[in-house]
């Protein structure tokens, strides 16, 4: 998940907020200030309800951030590159650039999140015991925080992928059977089942009249089952491409254009001629960009003859792969940056273009023929 706003760095990890988080923050502050606190603690002023509500929502997100931070720091300590942490509507997500290579690492990385939430729950509970007035805003705040952190720990320990508990389960099955694919499939199946259960529960609550709460739970369920599905698909894909070199599937045409060429030339001479939807742009024997169909679509058609490639091409960031790279990592790069193709360079020279569509077609074909991808060449 890519962040919409960046907050800054903590221990070298980029912290960001996805725009959906703002909605969650507003909704939680509002429901605390207008619903929960007035019901449980009558008699405060409106301002007190709001300040306590907003403070509680903020501290909830600090708690979520600490939970994610724990995952990321353990990952980092075990040598995995950690990209960033993004807070979004359903909590937080650590964007890891690589998956754990050993079950023990995955186990430690996953369990530490719920443990952090549990420790936070105990700390907030302990602080609450020190407060003498049980109906004061401070007591209300601490009560909310210890309860919500305990719930976070419990919820995340449910053994369905992609929840932490699902990862813990996967690590255990993976560790005992040595079969990563089977472990992922089992954890993802439980994850999907749990997601559907939440959707059913949410709809039941809506039917019972709790519209907002029910909808929220149903959405979380939907999110979980989709994520479980996606991670399973993603794994099948990557397992299928592992060990196959980029050179096996790349388009070996090395046609390039110069930055001075007109967009019209590129469209008529290249895009409309064949199946290519992108051309690397070269100047003085150096790759300076890539011009894609997406770039062209953004430029008004009647200006194509006056527009040069340099004006609309994608310059930065320019991703490339090498012919001997593994297709699974190349596919990950393509998916992560949501691009459709990537130039293949060998010692700085262009040797081809790797296209997302070709990878997908190859996977579909091998599946239809009942072959393992990459095994069609002898
Ligand atoms: Zn977690």
């Amino acid at each position: 998940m890519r962040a919409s706003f960046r907050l800054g760095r903590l221990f070298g990890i980029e912290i960001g907020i996805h725009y959906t988080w703002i909605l969650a923050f507003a909704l939680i502050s509002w429901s605390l200030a207008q619903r929960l606190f007035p019901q449980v603690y009558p008699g405060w002023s409106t301002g007190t309800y709001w300040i306590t509500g907003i403070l509680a929502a903020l501290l909830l997100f600090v708690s979520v951030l600490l939970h994610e931070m724990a995952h990321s720091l353990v990952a980092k300590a075990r040598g995995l590159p950690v990209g960033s942490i993004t807070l979004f509507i359903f909590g937080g997500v650590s964007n890891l650039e690589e998956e754990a290579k050993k079950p023990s690492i995955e186990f430690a990385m996953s369990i530490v999140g719920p443990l952090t939430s549990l420790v936070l729950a105990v700390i907030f509970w302990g602080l609450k015991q020190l407060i003498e007035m049980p109906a004061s805003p401070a007591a209300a705040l601490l009560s909310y925080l210890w309860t919500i952190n305990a719930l976070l720990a419990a919820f995340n320990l449910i053994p369905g992928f992609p929840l932490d508990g699902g990862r813990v389960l996967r690590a255990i099955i993976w560790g005992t059977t040595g079969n990563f694919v089977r472990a992922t499939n089992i954890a993802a199946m439980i994850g999907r089942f749990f997601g559907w259960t939440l959707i059913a529960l949410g709809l039941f609550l809506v039917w019972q009249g709790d519209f907002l709460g029910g909808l929220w739970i149903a959405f979380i369920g939907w999110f979980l089952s989709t994520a479980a599905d996606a991670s399973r698909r993603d794994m099948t894909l990557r397992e299928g491409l592992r060990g196959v070199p980029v050179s096996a599937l790349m388009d070996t045409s090395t046609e390039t254009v110069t930055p001075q060429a007109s967009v019209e030339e590129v469209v008529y001479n290249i895009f409309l001629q064949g199946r290519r939807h992108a051309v690397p742009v070269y100047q003085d024997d150096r790759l300076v960009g890539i011009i894609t169909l997406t770039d062209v679509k953004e430029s008004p058609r009647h200006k194509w003859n006056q527009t040069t490639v340099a004006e609309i091409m994608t310059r930065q960031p320019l991703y490339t792969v090498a012919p001997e790279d593994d297709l699974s990592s190349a596919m990950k790069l393509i998916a992560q940056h949501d691009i459709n193709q990537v130039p293949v360079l060998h010692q700085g020279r262009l040797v081809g273009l790797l296209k997302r569509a070709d990878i997908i077609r190859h996977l579909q074909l091998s599946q239809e023929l009942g072959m393992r991808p990459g095994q069609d060449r002898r």
Side-chain angles (χ1 to χ4, degrees), residues 94-301:
S94 301
N95 302 308
L96 300 177
E97 275 153 28
E98 270 173 45
E99 296 255 2
K101 288 189 180 71
K102 279 199 302 198
S104 58
I105 298 180
E106 165 136 75
F107 183 86
M109 257 167 66
S110 314
I111 197 84
V112 77
L115 282 182
T116 304
S117 297
L118 203 62
V119 168
L120 285 171
V122 172
I123 292 174
F124 286 126
W125 181 84
L127 286 174
K128 202 212 147 212
Q129 304 312 306
L130 300 176
I131 291 180
E132 309 220 318
M133 287 183 297
S136 65
L141 191 66
L142 291 169
S143 286
Y144 173 74
L145 287 171
W146 88 255
T147 318
I148 199 88
N149 272 295
L151 282 174
L152 271 178
F155 180 78
N156 275 295
L157 277 174
I158 289 165
F161 204 80
L163 291 171
D164 296 332
R167 290 178 183 276
V168 168
L169 178 72
R170 172 166 85 169
I172 293 172
I173 302 176
W174 180 17
T176 44
T177 66
N179 191 333
F180 176 75
V181 176
R182 197 161 143 226
T184 306
N185 280 336
I186 294 173
M189 196 178 67
I190 301 176
R192 245 178 331 159
F193 174 76
F194 176 64
W196 290 336
T197 311
L198 280 186
I199 293 176
L201 175 72
L203 293 179
F204 175 75
L205 288 175
V206 169
W207 181 60
Q208 291 279 302
D210 181 6
F211 190 75
L212 201 63
L215 214 58
W216 190 259
I217 289 174
F219 265 126
I220 292 179
W222 169 80
F223 170 75
L224 283 181
S225 62
T226 326
D229 256 358
S231 48
R232 206 174 48 122
R233 258 204 319 272
D234 187 52
M235 182 209 59
T236 317
L237 200 76
R238 250 182 297 147
E239 282 302 306
L241 293 171
R242 186 166 289 172
V244 186
V246 163
S247 57
L249 275 192
M250 69 184 187
D251 173 348
T252 51
S253 126
T254 49
E255 189 168 25
T256 60
V257 290
T258 63
Q260 293 80 29
S262 80
V263 173
E264 191 166 41
E265 272 173 67
V266 175
V267 170
Y268 287 100
N269 297 342
I270 299 168
F271 291 170
L272 289 176
Q273 294 298 316
R275 295 178 307 141
R276 313 191 71 192
H277 292 161
V279 200
V281 184
Y282 261 71
Q283 187 169 36
D284 305 328
D285 251 5
R286 209 167 54 85
L287 181 70
V288 290
I290 183 164
I291 178 164
T292 69
L293 206 56
T294 318
D295 297 328
V296 171
K297 278 185 197 156
E298 282 165 14
S299 153
R301 208 191 148 159

Side-chain angles (χ1 to χ4, degrees), residues 335-350:
Q336 229 165 28
H337 303 290
D338 198 24
I339 47 182
N340 289 315
Q341 59 276 310
V342 52
V344 186
L345 300 188
H346 177 61
Q347 290 167 354
R349 290 189 62 83
L350 181 74

Side-chain angles (χ1 to χ4, degrees), residues 10-28:
L10 208 57
F11 301 111
I13 298 162
E14 178 105 33
I15 316 265
I17 285 176
H18 190 249
Y19 69 91
T20 54
W21 175 86
I22 295 165
L23 182 69
F25 180 72
L27 216 59
I28 291 170

Side-chain angles (χ1 to χ4, degrees), residues 305-324:
N305 59 349
Q306 309 143 32
T307 310
T308 64
V309 165
E311 288 172 61
I312 63 163
M313 70 182 185
T314 306
R315 292 166 192 272
Q316 292 291 337
L318 204 55
Y319 305 101
T320 61
V321 291
E324 63 276 10

